[in-house]
Amino acid sequence: MRKFPFSVLAIMLALLMVAAALFIGAVKGSRVEKAQVESALGSLGTVFTTRVETGNNLLTVARRHLPQGDERMAAVARDVQALSSQASLAARTRANTSLEENARALLAILKDSESVQADSRDMAYVTGLLPQALDQSAQWTDVGSYNEAAGAYNDRLNNTFSGLLARLLGQTEAELFTP
Amino acid sequence: MKTRLLALLLAAFLLAGIFSAQAASALVVSDAANVLDPSLIEGIVDLNRQTEDKLDLSLKVITKHFLGGAQAASFARESLESYPDPDQIILLVMVIGEERYAVSLGRDAQALISQDTVDNLLASAFRTPFLNRDYSGALAAFMTQLAGQLQRASGQALRTDALYSSAALSPQVTPNPIEGFFRQPAQSLDNAQRYQAETEEAQRGYEGLSLWQIALIGFILFRLFGRDRRTGRKRGCGPLGWIFGTWGVSKFFGWRK
């Protein structure tokens, strides 16, 4: 009887383990990276509170000077409502983009309003503190930073060898937000 | 040389005194909205010193621009709970821009003065000047009334003349207006910084082993398990040994997560 080739078995076993290590490593690494992207997304959600606060504060001033049914005020109120809701982060991100536009428009209306011009404190809010807070909160909630991180992850997933292995085992792309 | 050293020491001593005095007043009055007279702040610090010494009660005042949709009373309660000794505190929150205010009383403070009494004092002495945006006048009037009430309840004399001192004081350090704008500026900043750090980390991703690191591991393993130069014998490290060796060494050097 011919002797069993143990050396061949050992080499095959070694190759099998190397392949398994490559696949497991690729999936684990990819999962860690995706968790980082998702964690950043979660943090973005918490930073949205500054946008909600800014929107509410703008509405507080606007209510003193504009009629109740004012269209821009209603638009800002809708954005604030959407941002503070439990809606998906994609929906809240859209509301955040919309808030930027509507809040700027409302600030411009308030700045031109006679009653605001007659009230030095509210004028200071409209021309100083509120735009400053809007800028600051926009900077804090910059969706571009998240998109860059998610894009970089997707790029690695699609264009690297370990990314290919991870995709073969079901790893998916991270969500990107477009305004 | 000696004179210069003494002058430097004296300057350092004076600066330390100024900063510690400012820190003390900031602990009592947090004027983030920057609407109060510095002399009134000093007067409240003086009154607080008396209530702490005689009644074991602390007075705190917070001014802010807006509350971002929160209720003044709940903000006052949350702020009170954030102090290390909330039971001994009487906290007044003035929300500038929303024309709202609230007082929160610690448990021990309620033994001397009830919430109803405080609300009456606010209505009688504070409300009108506050709504007329005379914030310092409103606060001085409320503190005077409050001191009078505490004096009657405890029998301890409290001086309030410092509240109306017109002594010219150097203005307080003007706070960053944004600090008085967001409800919890420190937490907001912290969240923003965390978001930024996490996006940067996620963008970098896991870089894995570089070619140099793999070459270094290979060299170390070769030295450890390769052929012995003196005897010419192998040290007996098969493919599995190399795999586990690489795995272990990369972990040891922190190159593998």
Side-chain angles (χ1 to χ4, degrees):
Chain A
M1 195 178 146
R2 207 175 155 193
K3 201 177 166 189
F4 186 79
F6 278 110
S7 56
V8 172
L9 184 68
I11 288 169
M12 281 177 67
L13 194 63
L15 287 175
L16 195 70
M17 287 182 74
V18 169
L22 278 173
F23 271 97
I24 292 168
V27 170
K28 274 177 79 176
S30 183
R31 276 191 190 154
V32 168
E33 287 187 6
K34 194 166 186 192
Q36 284 175 339
V37 174
E38 283 167 353
S39 173
L41 184 60
S43 295
L44 177 62
T46 62
V47 190
F48 277 151
T49 53
T50 58
R51 298 291 275 174
V52 172
E53 285 181 35
T54 308
N56 275 325
N57 295 342
L58 173 58
L59 286 171
T60 301
V61 176
R63 283 190 194 108
R64 284 200 280 265
H65 301 280
L66 297 177
Q68 206 174 7
D70 183 86
E71 199 182 309
R72 279 294 175 189
M73 233 165 64
V76 170
R78 270 197 306 275
D79 294 336
V80 168
Q81 177 76 30
L83 260 174
S84 49
S85 70
Q86 296 298 314
S88 69
L89 272 166
R92 290 162 74 191
T93 305
R94 278 195 296 278
N96 186 36
T97 310
S98 168
L99 175 69
E100 183 69 22
E101 188 187 321
N102 289 322
R104 297 274 173 208
L106 185 56
L107 277 172
I109 292 169
L110 287 170
K111 197 176 164 188
D112 293 339
S113 146
E114 278 180 22
S115 67
V116 172
Q117 284 171 359
D119 183 332
S120 60
R121 191 197 61 183
D122 281 359
M123 191 63 180
Y125 282 149
V126 166
T127 55
L129 202 49
L130 285 167
Q132 209 180 328
L134 203 61
D135 287 343
Q136 179 72 80
S137 60
Q139 195 188 327
W140 283 346
T141 56
D142 175 24
V143 178
S145 304
Y146 166 79
N147 274 342
E148 279 173 24
Y153 165 76
N154 291 345
D155 197 40
R156 285 193 294 274
L157 190 69
N158 292 318
N159 299 319
T160 61
F161 177 65
S162 63
L164 173 77
L165 296 181
R167 267 193 301 139
L168 283 175
L169 290 183
Q171 199 64 9
T172 54
E173 289 192 350
E175 191 179 4
L176 285 167
F177 295 129
T178 46
Chain B
M1 184 70 185
K2 200 174 174 183
T3 320
R4 199 178 291 172
L5 186 68
L6 277 173
L8 275 173
L9 279 172
L10 184 63
F13 181 73
L14 285 172
L15 277 174
I18 289 166
F19 282 120
S20 69
Q22 283 190 341
S25 45
L27 285 173
V28 179
V29 180
S30 164
D31 184 21
N34 200 25
V35 290
L36 300 176
D37 291 337
S39 58
L40 174 64
I41 293 175
E42 288 304 311
I44 295 171
V45 171
D46 179 67
L47 183 60
N48 173 67
R49 208 172 294 129
Q50 296 175 61
T51 58
E52 281 186 347
D53 290 347
K54 296 176 180 174
L55 311 175
D56 203 19
L57 278 184
S58 297
L59 305 175
K60 308 275 183 201
V61 177
I62 295 175
T63 73
K64 279 187 72 64
H65 290 293
F66 306 103
L67 279 182
Q71 294 298 314
S74 61
F75 177 77
R77 246 192 328 274
E78 281 169 24
S79 303
L80 182 80
E81 293 302 324
S82 70
Y83 289 105
D85 51 350
D87 288 345
Q88 284 94 37
I89 289 174
I90 298 175
L91 168 69
L92 168 65
V93 172
M94 300 164 69
V95 189
I96 317 302
E98 292 185 6
E99 334 298 7
R100 289 192 289 159
Y101 52 85
V103 167
S104 196
L105 299 171
R107 205 176 303 151
D108 295 353
Q110 288 179 37
L112 274 180
I113 189 163
S114 70
Q115 187 72 49
D116 283 348
T117 310
V118 170
D119 289 343
N120 286 337
L121 295 183
L122 286 169
S124 63
F126 182 83
R127 186 176 166 75
T128 306
F130 178 76
L131 293 181
N132 289 331
R133 301 182 187 174
D134 175 12
Y135 304 115
S136 292
L139 185 56
F142 172 69
M143 283 294 166
T144 308
Q145 297 281 317
L146 180 70
Q149 195 65 38
L150 291 174
Q151 200 167 289
R152 277 191 290 282
S154 66
Q156 295 281 352
L158 298 170
R159 285 177 295 100
T160 56
D161 47 323
L163 293 172
Y164 299 95
S165 157
S166 56
L169 289 170
S170 58
Q172 301 287 304
V173 178
T174 309
N176 178 355
I178 288 291
E179 283 178 19
F181 186 87
F182 293 112
R183 197 159 61 228
Q184 291 170 317
Q187 199 183 333
S188 296
L189 183 63
D190 194 41
N191 287 340
Q193 283 172 341
R194 197 175 60 236
Y195 167 62
Q196 203 56 43
E198 283 179 353
T199 51
E200 280 168 16
E201 195 184 349
Q203 200 173 346
R204 273 198 306 275
Y206 172 48
E207 284 152 359
L209 295 175
S210 71
L211 280 176
W212 288 110
Q213 287 168 338
I214 291 168
L216 181 62
I217 293 171
F219 177 73
I220 291 167
L221 290 173
F222 171 74
R223 296 299 297 170
L224 287 174
F225 302 119
R227 196 180 289 274
D228 190 321
R229 232 187 287 170
R230 279 174 303 164
T231 60
R233 287 169 54 193
K234 286 182 181 175
R235 285 180 177 136
C237 181
L240 282 178
W242 277 84
I243 291 164
F244 286 118
T246 310
W247 185 77
V249 170
S250 62
K251 182 78 180 173
F252 179 78
F253 285 107
W255 292 331
R256 186 167 55 78
K257 283 185 184 174

